[in-house]
Amino acid sequence: MIDVLVVGIGEYVTGLSDEGAAKSDKSFGVIALSLFDMRARGLVGEIHLAGRDAKRFALIREHFETNLKAAYPALDTSFEAHPKEGFSDEAYREALLKMPEGSCVMIFTPDDTHFKIAKEALEAGMHVLVAKPLVKTTEEHIALQKLAKEKGLLLMLEVHKRFDPIYADAVDQIRTFGDFSLMHSYMSQPKTQLDTFAGWAGISSDISYYLNAHHIDLLCWAVQDFARPVSVVATASTGVADRKLGREVEDTITLTVQWENLQSGALGTSVHTASWIAPPSDVHSQQRFFYMGHRGEVTIDQAHRGYGISTDEQGYKSANPLFMKYAPRDGRFAGQQGYGYRSIETFVRSSAELAQAPEKLAAFNQELPTIENTLNVTRILEAGRRSLDEGKVIVL
């Protein structure tokens, strides 16, 4: 059993946005719900949530009582809140002081805060999970990599798509296709999410860091043994988000990455597009990719799994319970096999195992999406931002 601190209380953690219960595919949240269930299963001890505004926690508790408890009556949704009163950008620090060394810290805050919070958590002796993107620059990535190694701590990137059984099988298939040739990926968010992201969109981060990170990580994971990125050029579309938010914000960002196959020297290309101006549809987020190797290809539409649901209240939706299964079974949460849940559970279990067997860290750094094996993801994302800002190809 291990104690957990979650830094950040937005919709991915709690299912609550500034407008109330999230109208996305995460209306019950992912992180808090998963941790409450893990506590019931004896995997997690104390749960701490750290935000900035103490007044926010009354709404969160009401949301949990009204929605989570209605679906799962026996679920214990209690937690310790930070700050206790008032407003603080550094309430997570008071929580860190209460955590035993070797506890878990999970960071789901704006991208430009990841480095600072992760660094302080590592210095306090905590294992750390960070929402994608892990950090925004290669310099920050290397600094955290060095610190985690010195401390003997696990620092893992939360990229749940690695735990999707279909995506994971695709990676295994890709590794039999020979040299890398081409990949196209696309992810979207509906333009209504710009209201949720208004506090940071185009200020502390962009849609490429937020969404392209997923498929860039997947490709880096798939080809890590036989191809490397050599250059990046980015282009953008504008006109919707800037009018909606009243500042310069890219609507859609496309990164084109040149790759080199290590043994043959043959070149490959990947094209990653992310947008947050999509119209309403049967899914909250479009998510798909096409990959072609020298001896095979694969196409996956992660948003559509051939499972449709229609109700009087919500109309027709394409459902994906493989991510998070919210429908209760006999009044209890039954989503333990969802890849959103499995991503969190893997980090919790791995952190707990390290208390008894610290020598396992080397294996975890090879097997899991850790600071040790995701440097190319950070390099590509940073290069994309620099390419937009500087108007040129960035050589890695």
Side-chain angles (χ1 to χ4, degrees), residues 18-57:
D18 290 340
E19 294 78 40
K23 297 179 175 61
S24 68
D25 57 347
K26 305 175 186 68
S27 58
F28 280 11
V30 174
I31 306 305
L33 173 58
S34 297
L35 292 175
F36 294 150
D37 182 72
M38 288 180 212
R39 179 169 58 191
R41 295 169 59 207
L43 302 178
V44 165
E46 293 185 3
I47 297 173
H48 300 253
L49 300 185
R52 295 185 298 171
D53 188 352
K55 294 180 181 178
R56 187 73 175 165
F57 289 109

Side-chain angles (χ1 to χ4, degrees), residues 232-236 253-256 383-388 391-393:
V232 180
V233 63
T235 54
I253 295 176
T254 296
L255 307 188
T256 301
R385 185 67 255 170
R386 286 183 54 205
S387 177
L388 286 174
K392 64 183 182 182
V393 175

Side-chain angles (χ1 to χ4, degrees), residues 193-247:
Q193 283 292 99
L194 284 169
D195 295 324
T196 302
F197 302 150
W200 60 263
I203 299 174
S204 62
S205 195
D206 60 39
I207 191 57
S208 180
Y209 274 112
Y210 186 70
L211 288 186
N212 274 332
H214 275 301
H215 284 110
I216 290 172
D217 173 73
L218 191 85
L219 178 58
C220 289
W221 178 37
V223 305
Q224 61 187 354
D225 293 331
F226 58 89
R228 69 180 185 94
V230 294
S231 66
V232 180
V233 63
T235 54
S237 303
T238 61
V240 176
D242 52 8
R243 289 197 302 270
K244 188 175 181 67
L245 298 179
R247 56 179 181 266

Side-chain angles (χ1 to χ4, degrees), residues 7 30 41 64 74 81 90 175 177 198 210 260 294 368 379:
V7 186
V30 174
R41 295 169 59 207
F64 287 167
E90 298 172 343
R175 290 172 177 168
F177 292 168
Y210 186 70
E260 179 185 37
H294 283 197
L368 302 176
R379 293 173 69 218

Side-chain angles (χ1 to χ4, degrees), residues 32 35 47 51-52 69 81 117 119 166 173 211 220 229 264 286 315 346-347 353 379:
L35 292 175
I47 297 173
R52 295 185 298 171
K69 297 281 281 189
I117 300 172
K119 182 174 181 290
I166 296 176
Q173 298 287 346
L211 288 186
C220 289
S264 68
Q286 302 288 347
T346 298
F347 172 69
E353 284 183 40
R379 293 173 69 218

Side-chain angles (χ1 to χ4, degrees), residues 204-385:
S204 62
S205 195
D206 60 39
I207 191 57
S208 180
Y209 274 112
Y210 186 70
L211 288 186
N212 274 332
H214 275 301
H215 284 110
I216 290 172
D217 173 73
L218 191 85
L219 178 58
C220 289
W221 178 37
V223 305
Q224 61 187 354
D225 293 331
F226 58 89
R228 69 180 185 94
V230 294
S231 66
V232 180
V233 63
T235 54
S237 303
T238 61
V240 176
D242 52 8
R243 289 197 302 270
K244 188 175 181 67
L245 298 179
R247 56 179 181 266
E248 290 186 3
V249 184
E250 296 95 352
D251 294 343
T252 304
I253 295 176
T254 296
L255 307 188
T256 301
V257 186
Q258 185 79 77
W259 293 75
E260 179 185 37
N261 288 282
L262 299 178
Q263 290 192 357
S264 68
L267 298 179
T269 303
S270 65
V271 182
H272 309 278
T273 298
S275 179
W276 45 20
I277 65 161
S281 73
D282 61 326
V283 295
H284 177 72
S285 174
Q286 302 288 347
Q287 308 177 30
R288 55 184 178 265
F289 77 86
F290 167 79
Y291 177 98
M292 182 167 62
H294 283 197
R295 298 196 303 269
E297 64 182 41
V298 60
T299 302
I300 293 183
D301 180 356
Q302 194 188 45
H304 299 90
R305 301 301 178 100
Y307 183 19
I309 297 176
S310 184
T311 65
D312 291 338
E313 293 79 15
Q314 296 185 352
Y316 177 76
K317 296 292 182 183
S318 289
N320 181 14
L322 293 182
F323 171 55
M324 283 293 286
K325 172 179 164 53
Y326 290 132
R329 182 178 299 145
D330 298 327
R332 296 183 179 277
F333 177 75
Q336 292 86 1
Q337 298 307 309
Y339 57 83
Y341 186 103
R342 287 184 58 219
S343 174
I344 308 305
E345 183 181 10
T346 298
F347 172 69
V348 168
R349 285 188 178 277
S350 299
S351 299
E353 284 183 40
L354 289 172
Q356 303 299 322
E359 69 277 4
K360 287 188 175 182
L361 181 60
F364 291 155
N365 277 330
Q366 290 293 320
E367 299 163 3
L368 302 176
T370 67
I371 190 79
E372 288 288 334
N373 60 29
T374 54
L375 179 59
N376 278 339
V377 181
T378 301
R379 293 173 69 218
I380 291 170
L381 290 168
E382 179 190 13
R385 185 67 255 170

Side-chain angles (χ1 to χ4, degrees), residues 109-115 131-136 140 200 204-206 209-210:
T109 58
D111 298 348
D112 61 339
T113 66
H114 290 181
F115 174 74
K132 48 75 192 163
L134 204 157
V135 287
K136 295 185 67 179
E140 291 175 340
W200 60 263
S204 62
S205 195
D206 60 39
Y209 274 112
Y210 186 70

